[in-house]
Amino acid sequence: MISHSSFSLQPYNTFGIEAHCYRFIELQQRDDVALWASMQQQSDKPFFLLGGGSNVVFLPWIDKSVVKVSLHGIELLKEDDEHVWIQAAAGENWSDFVDFCVQKGWGGLENLTGIPGTVGASPVQNVGAYGVEAKDAIESVECFGIASGKWKNVLNSECQFSYRDSIFKQALKNQVIITSVTFRLDKNPSLNLSYGGIQQQLKKEGILQPTIKDVSRAVKTLRNEKLPDPAIIGSAGSFFKNPVVAVDKYISLKNHYPDMVAFPVGEDYKLAAGWLIEQCGWKGKQIGKVGVYPKQALVLINLGSCTGNDVKQLALAIQQSVQEKFDVKLETEALFIE
Ligand SMILES: Cc1cc2nc3c(=O)[nH]c(=O)nc-3n(C[C@H](O)[C@H](O)[C@H](O)COP(=O)(O)OP(=O)(O)OC[C@H]3O[C@@H](n4cnc5c(N)ncnc54)[C@H](O)[C@@H]3O)c2cc1C
């Protein structure tokens, strides 16, 4: 276990924001987890569990212990004729893990390639892209109870997964550390090509009978066209969730705005937050050192050395204008940490 006080978090968030925290602790081995939890039980300082820092906006001073989970290892637990059960430690890089599974020919995660961050965070907001969510492949999530000092396996059916949400953002928030995730993947994969231009991309490449490798490559190409690479432009990816509205609200908006982009979800409709933000004139706008990505209005970007407060102000201004124009509440997907 590594521990530093008053530590700079700039290298630990994809927004590239400079921020300091009371203490930075890195858990590198399984034994560190129990050791830190017992120390935390004696401390009155709050803590924040950090993965890859790709879904967070740090405010300048974080009066907390920031605890980075850096456990590593991938293990094939079992297999039968149809499936493999593979366990990855929380600190493994998510996209590298997906690519490892794709190379092995195990299907289920290929649409989720290219999402920054760690395996341990994937169940927290039930990461999703191109018609697939982590919940579709997660078998169970291994956790350590910070107060109980006990290991626990939370089954998929207990995770309360929904759109960008799970029990780990709700009842188990700050109660457990996720230490590894087990996925059940398909040896004879069926492809999900229904979403976001994957089929057009494959067609462009002249691929008629795609494999999971082709799908993952197509997804990467599509993502690179739309999203900034955090190594070049700081961001937290999609900054806002796509709001879900009741059918009456959807119909009234659609009457006013026939071009509005929306998808049915059960009896409700999910509106494309990027479209709403673009209609309010924000796409490509820059306010000081922070801006809205010119290729995708859902993404806020660091134009140099923005602070968490700059991002907060811009996010608030965007939320206000969407509320005024459409009477729709935009919730942030990225988390402000202070
Ligand atoms: C360019 C870009 C593109 C993106 N595209 C997508 C996308 O397509 N789909 C999508 O869903 N997301 C996307 N994201 C958001 C982000 O990548 C995901 O939310 C990712 O899962 C966050 O992982 P992380 O390890 O960086 O988590 P962090 O940002 O470090 O933490 C996120 C949350 O998880 C908790 N957490 C992290 N590790 C643990 C642990 N071991 N135990 C308990 N809690 C933990 C944290 O406390 C926090 O609440 C994108 C982000 C960027 C920058």
Side-chain angles (χ1 to χ4, degrees):
M1 181 162 62
I2 298 175
S3 172
H4 303 275
S5 52
S6 191
F7 190 77
S8 166
L9 293 169
Q10 194 164 26
Y12 294 93
N13 69 101
T14 56
F15 232 115
I17 288 174
E18 178 61 296
H20 287 81
C21 61
Y22 161 75
R23 188 170 291 282
F24 181 85
I25 296 166
E26 190 164 7
L27 309 179
Q28 296 179 306
Q29 303 172 29
R30 283 173 75 85
D31 288 351
D32 293 346
V33 175
L35 180 63
W36 170 74
S38 70
M39 280 163 50
Q40 180 59 34
Q41 286 302 96
Q42 314 299 317
S43 165
D44 49 12
K45 271 282 172 212
F47 64 89
F48 173 72
L49 295 173
L50 179 68
S54 62
N55 206 24
V56 294
V57 178
F58 289 137
L59 276 293
W61 171 246
I62 299 167
D63 199 20
K64 290 180 178 158
S65 297
V66 171
V67 182
K68 178 157 171 62
V69 185
S70 297
L71 306 176
H72 290 283
I74 295 176
E75 194 184 342
L76 179 64
L77 295 183
K78 60 175 182 171
E79 62 185 306
D80 62 18
D81 290 346
E82 291 171 13
H83 297 111
V84 295
W85 283 261
I86 181 148
Q87 186 180 52
E92 288 291 333
N93 177 285
W94 169 259
S95 192
D96 291 351
F97 170 66
V98 171
D99 292 350
F100 169 83
C101 297
V102 168
Q103 286 308 317
K104 292 277 187 190
W106 302 329
L109 298 177
E110 55 281 0
N111 294 40
L112 301 178
T113 189
I115 299 178
T118 56
V119 167
S122 64
V124 176
Q125 76 148 358
N126 179 25
V127 289
Y130 295 92
V132 173
E133 290 180 317
K135 74 168 172 57
D136 304 331
I138 289 176
E139 174 86 1
S140 62
V141 178
E142 182 200 47
C143 304
F144 187 82
I146 295 163
S148 71
K150 292 197 173 125
W151 296 92
K152 180 176 165 46
N153 233 7
V154 184
L155 301 178
N156 180 308
S157 57
E158 300 168 321
C159 289
Q160 299 174 11
F161 285 126
S162 62
Y163 169 58
R164 299 294 187 270
D165 204 5
S166 74
I167 195 168
F168 307 105
K169 271 179 111 172
Q170 306 294 339
L172 292 185
K173 184 178 172 187
N174 290 340
Q175 305 299 309
V176 299
I177 304 181
I178 295 168
T179 47
S180 72
V181 184
T182 298
F183 300 86
R184 191 187 77 159
L185 302 177
D186 295 329
K187 284 181 165 174
N188 307 301
S190 53
L191 305 179
N192 183 335
L193 307 177
S194 59
Y195 211 82
I198 299 181
Q199 285 185 45
Q200 289 93 308
Q201 180 59 33
L202 291 168
K203 208 168 156 194
K204 226 196 253 178
E205 294 177 20
I207 292 165
L208 300 175
Q209 292 192 315
T211 63
I212 57 170
K213 283 187 190 168
D214 297 321
V215 174
S216 118
R217 198 183 53 252
V219 167
K220 277 195 179 133
T221 305
L222 292 166
R223 291 184 69 91
N224 289 341
E225 281 167 7
K226 267 202 259 168
L227 290 164
D229 176 352
I232 301 167
I233 301 175
S235 87
S238 302
F239 202 88
F240 301 97
K241 291 186 196 173
N242 290 319
V244 176
V245 297
V247 66
D248 294 359
K249 177 72 184 172
Y250 164 74
I251 290 169
S252 108
L253 283 171
K254 193 75 180 167
N255 286 339
H256 275 84
Y257 305 99
D259 297 341
M260 184 178 71
V261 183
F263 313 91
V265 277
E267 291 178 2
D268 299 326
Y269 279 83
K270 195 189 271 181
L271 312 181
W275 186 89
L276 300 172
I277 296 166
E278 194 175 339
Q279 297 308 303
C280 294
W282 283 106
K283 198 173 184 180
K285 269 213 174 151
Q286 304 189 349
I287 311 258
K289 292 171 178 166
V290 65
V292 179
Y293 193 49
K295 293 185 194 169
Q296 168 55 275
L298 200 48
V299 178
L300 306 191
I301 52 172
N302 187 349
L303 297 171
S305 51
C306 76
T307 66
N309 285 319
D310 297 333
V311 180
K312 200 173 193 177
Q313 275 174 20
L314 177 60
L316 270 173
I318 291 173
Q319 283 169 317
Q320 270 166 14
S321 41
V322 169
Q323 182 76 48
E324 278 161 23
K325 189 170 170 79
F326 299 105
D327 192 22
V328 169
K329 188 170 187 281
L330 273 193
E331 279 180 41
T332 58
E333 183 181 316
L335 307 164
F336 288 98
I337 311 299
E338 56 192 316

